[in-house]
Amino acid sequence: MTTLIYPTTNLKKTEQLNIVRGEGVYIYDDEGNQYLEGLAGLWCSALGYGNAELIEAITRQLHTLSYSHMFGGRTHQVGMDLANKLGAMLPVADAKIFLANSGSEANDSHIKMLHYYFNVVGKPQKKKIIALQRSYHGVTMASAALTGLPANHTHFDIPVDALGILRADAPHYYRGRLAGETEAGFTARLIANLEQLILREGPDTIAAYIAEPVTGASGVVVPPENYFADVQRLLKKYDILFWADEVICGFGRTGNDFGSTTMGIQPQLMTLAKQLSSAYIPISAAVIPGTMYEAMVEPSAQVGVFGHGYTYTGHPVACAAALKTLEIFERDRLFEHAARMGKYMQERLREFQNHPLVGEVRGKGLIAAVELVKNKKTGEAFADGKLGAFTTQACLQNGLSLRAVAGNSIAFCPPLIITSAQIDEMLDKFTRALESTLVYAQHEKMLSL
Ligand SMILES: Cc1ncc(COP(=O)(O)O)c(C=O)c1O
């Protein structure tokens, strides 16, 4: 064992797989085994591995200006070009963009900017944030408070109450419905609960509502048809900002440019990361509307500085990686390709709906999950994630890299460049892994049929 502390890992099971290189949609381990990367790393490698053009742009930037900061009015062209290009793509009015290094940092930055903004516009009581059960927004102290997954809170003393984070129902019909409840009835109940929460806390104490348009780490939950329309109606009524965490959904993942487009959301705040640079260099963005930015200008001048920023905010090499990634997305019409491939993947995945282990297949575009259940008829979940872990291992043995999320939901999120033949290959491998999972589950008497 090395001296590393591994992230999001059972610390008794470290160093299981040593990946040494990648090419296209494939990765290779130290024994030469090839795996189709069905989760694009951690939902991020949009252009796959070894993209020569991207590597060239990054290398050129390293030779030209390997680092420069952005404190105190310093800037560089590649950073300004990235912000302008990104700003023009976004569905936020007169978008202003703060750059950071990770999704968690961008979400932290958002929380700080919300506090700053509401303080300087004379509404210091308007600070609470509504976040959802079963959501994932990162793991820094503040972004972990937004995250609604127990494993990210246990033993960490996350300051949920201190930050005024309120928790609303997950819009997950399959898991959250009451007996006999229709999808419309489920949505209506959640919206009524949300309105009660807002009224109980006081609308003028709530700054924002944050959601992933389609969730990732919490099981690829696709909210019901009218959920976000109804949420937005409430937020408008009570003057609460919609904050879309697009860290996974952004850039073609759900069949459109942004998950907000797919789900009919007009966000005021957006968080971007991952596919923004196709994961070649870490970079993220916290996007706010121009009006919010304008309100912060004069107060920052009075203090002498807008006192928030990272050493690597606007790192030129990361900016070059992101700018080239966006150029390739546009030139190669990759969002359209991803939409076509997504439609195909969703259709083919629905074939697993009849499998005895599968409770639900869900997803949008090139993101999906197949949830394995103890009882197919009732949807009863397994008490632990043992079977999902077995399936992940069986996938690896069949040359496929996937992850089980939220227990036993097997997540699919391949690079946007995947072809239909590679989707077939991915699902053939998954079929074999699922066959051995069924044999194992029956042998271990894990199913209640
Ligand atoms: C929706 C969402 N938000 C935020 C984050 C945090 O991003 P990072 O891991 O880059 O800090 C993630 C990471 O998976 C995510 O999926």
Side-chain angles (χ1 to χ4, degrees), residues 169 176-178 181 184-194:
D169 306 297
R177 67 190 161 189
L178 302 174
E181 194 173 39
F186 170 76
T187 305
R189 178 165 60 82
L190 262 58
I191 296 298
N193 286 349
L194 181 60

Short mmCIF file of all heavy atoms in Angstrom, two decimals, residues 169 176-178 181 184-194:
data_model
loop_
_atom_site.label_atom_id
_atom_site.label_comp_id
_atom_site.label_asym_id
_atom_site.label_seq_id
_atom_site.Cartn_x
_atom_site.Cartn_y
_atom_site.Cartn_z
N ASP A 169 -37.95 17.04 -0.84
CA ASP A 169 -38.06 15.66 -1.34
C ASP A 169 -37.31 15.47 -2.66
O ASP A 169 -37.31 16.35 -3.52
CB ASP A 169 -39.53 15.33 -1.65
CG ASP A 169 -40.44 15.57 -0.48
OD1 ASP A 169 -40.28 14.92 0.55
OD2 ASP A 169 -41.35 16.43 -0.61
N GLY A 176 -39.92 7.10 -4.47
CA GLY A 176 -40.60 7.96 -3.51
C GLY A 176 -42.11 7.91 -3.52
O GLY A 176 -42.77 8.48 -2.65
N ARG A 177 -42.70 7.21 -4.49
CA ARG A 177 -44.17 7.22 -4.61
C ARG A 177 -44.82 6.46 -3.46
O ARG A 177 -44.24 5.51 -2.91
CB ARG A 177 -44.58 6.60 -5.94
CG ARG A 177 -44.25 5.12 -6.01
CD ARG A 177 -44.43 4.55 -7.39
NE ARG A 177 -43.69 3.29 -7.49
CZ ARG A 177 -43.50 2.62 -8.59
NH1 ARG A 177 -44.00 3.06 -9.73
NH2 ARG A 177 -42.82 1.49 -8.60
N LEU A 178 -46.03 6.87 -3.14
CA LEU A 178 -46.81 6.13 -2.15
C LEU A 178 -47.60 5.05 -2.90
O LEU A 178 -47.73 5.12 -4.13
CB LEU A 178 -47.80 7.07 -1.45
CG LEU A 178 -47.17 8.27 -0.73
CD1 LEU A 178 -48.24 9.21 -0.18
CD2 LEU A 178 -46.25 7.79 0.40
N GLU A 181 -49.99 5.71 -5.96
CA GLU A 181 -49.88 7.12 -6.35
C GLU A 181 -49.43 7.26 -7.81
O GLU A 181 -48.46 6.63 -8.23
CB GLU A 181 -48.86 7.81 -5.44
CG GLU A 181 -48.87 9.33 -5.50
CD GLU A 181 -47.96 9.95 -4.44
OE1 GLU A 181 -46.86 9.41 -4.20
OE2 GLU A 181 -48.37 10.96 -3.85
N ALA A 184 -48.41 12.04 -11.60
CA ALA A 184 -48.92 13.41 -11.43
C ALA A 184 -49.23 13.68 -9.96
O ALA A 184 -48.94 14.77 -9.42
CB ALA A 184 -50.17 13.60 -12.29
N GLY A 185 -49.79 12.68 -9.28
CA GLY A 185 -50.12 12.83 -7.86
C GLY A 185 -48.85 12.98 -7.03
O GLY A 185 -48.79 13.79 -6.09
N PHE A 186 -47.83 12.22 -7.39
CA PHE A 186 -46.53 12.30 -6.71
C PHE A 186 -45.94 13.70 -6.84
O PHE A 186 -45.53 14.32 -5.86
CB PHE A 186 -45.59 11.24 -7.33
CG PHE A 186 -44.17 11.35 -6.91
CD1 PHE A 186 -43.74 10.93 -5.66
CD2 PHE A 186 -43.22 11.87 -7.80
CE1 PHE A 186 -42.40 11.01 -5.29
CE2 PHE A 186 -41.87 11.96 -7.43
CZ PHE A 186 -41.47 11.54 -6.18
N THR A 187 -45.97 14.21 -8.08
CA THR A 187 -45.41 15.56 -8.33
C THR A 187 -46.20 16.60 -7.52
O THR A 187 -45.60 17.47 -6.88
CB THR A 187 -45.47 15.89 -9.84
OG1 THR A 187 -44.80 14.86 -10.54
CG2 THR A 187 -44.82 17.22 -10.15
N ALA A 188 -47.50 16.49 -7.54
CA ALA A 188 -48.33 17.47 -6.83
C ALA A 188 -48.02 17.44 -5.33
O ALA A 188 -47.94 18.49 -4.67
CB ALA A 188 -49.81 17.17 -7.07
N ARG A 189 -47.80 16.23 -4.80
CA ARG A 189 -47.49 16.11 -3.36
C ARG A 189 -46.14 16.78 -3.05
O ARG A 189 -46.00 17.51 -2.07
CB ARG A 189 -47.46 14.63 -2.96
CG ARG A 189 -47.09 14.39 -1.49
CD ARG A 189 -47.44 12.98 -1.03
NE ARG A 189 -46.75 11.94 -1.78
CZ ARG A 189 -45.50 11.54 -1.55
NH1 ARG A 189 -44.79 12.10 -0.59
NH2 ARG A 189 -44.95 10.58 -2.28
N LEU A 190 -45.15 16.54 -3.92
CA LEU A 190 -43.82 17.14 -3.69
C LEU A 190 -43.87 18.67 -3.77
O LEU A 190 -43.22 19.37 -2.98
CB LEU A 190 -42.81 16.61 -4.71
CG LEU A 190 -41.92 15.47 -4.22
CD1 LEU A 190 -42.75 14.28 -3.74
CD2 LEU A 190 -40.93 15.04 -5.28
N ILE A 191 -44.66 19.16 -4.73
CA ILE A 191 -44.75 20.61 -4.88
C ILE A 191 -45.46 21.22 -3.66
O ILE A 191 -45.07 22.27 -3.15
CB ILE A 191 -45.47 20.96 -6.21
CG1 ILE A 191 -44.63 20.48 -7.40
CG2 ILE A 191 -45.77 22.45 -6.31
CD1 ILE A 191 -43.26 21.11 -7.53
N ALA A 192 -46.50 20.52 -3.19
CA ALA A 192 -47.20 21.02 -1.98
C ALA A 192 -46.24 21.03 -0.79
O ALA A 192 -46.21 22.00 -0.01
CB ALA A 192 -48.43 20.15 -1.70
N ASN A 193 -45.45 19.97 -0.66
CA ASN A 193 -44.46 19.91 0.44
C ASN A 193 -43.44 21.05 0.31
O ASN A 193 -43.05 21.67 1.31
CB ASN A 193 -43.69 18.59 0.41
CG ASN A 193 -44.54 17.43 0.90
OD1 ASN A 193 -45.61 17.63 1.45
ND2 ASN A 193 -44.07 16.21 0.66
N LEU A 194 -43.03 21.30 -0.94
CA LEU A 194 -42.03 22.36 -1.16
C LEU A 194 -42.61 23.72 -0.77
O LEU A 194 -41.96 24.54 -0.12
CB LEU A 194 -41.60 22.35 -2.64
CG LEU A 194 -40.54 23.36 -3.05
CD1 LEU A 194 -39.24 23.16 -2.27
CD2 LEU A 194 -40.26 23.26 -4.56
#
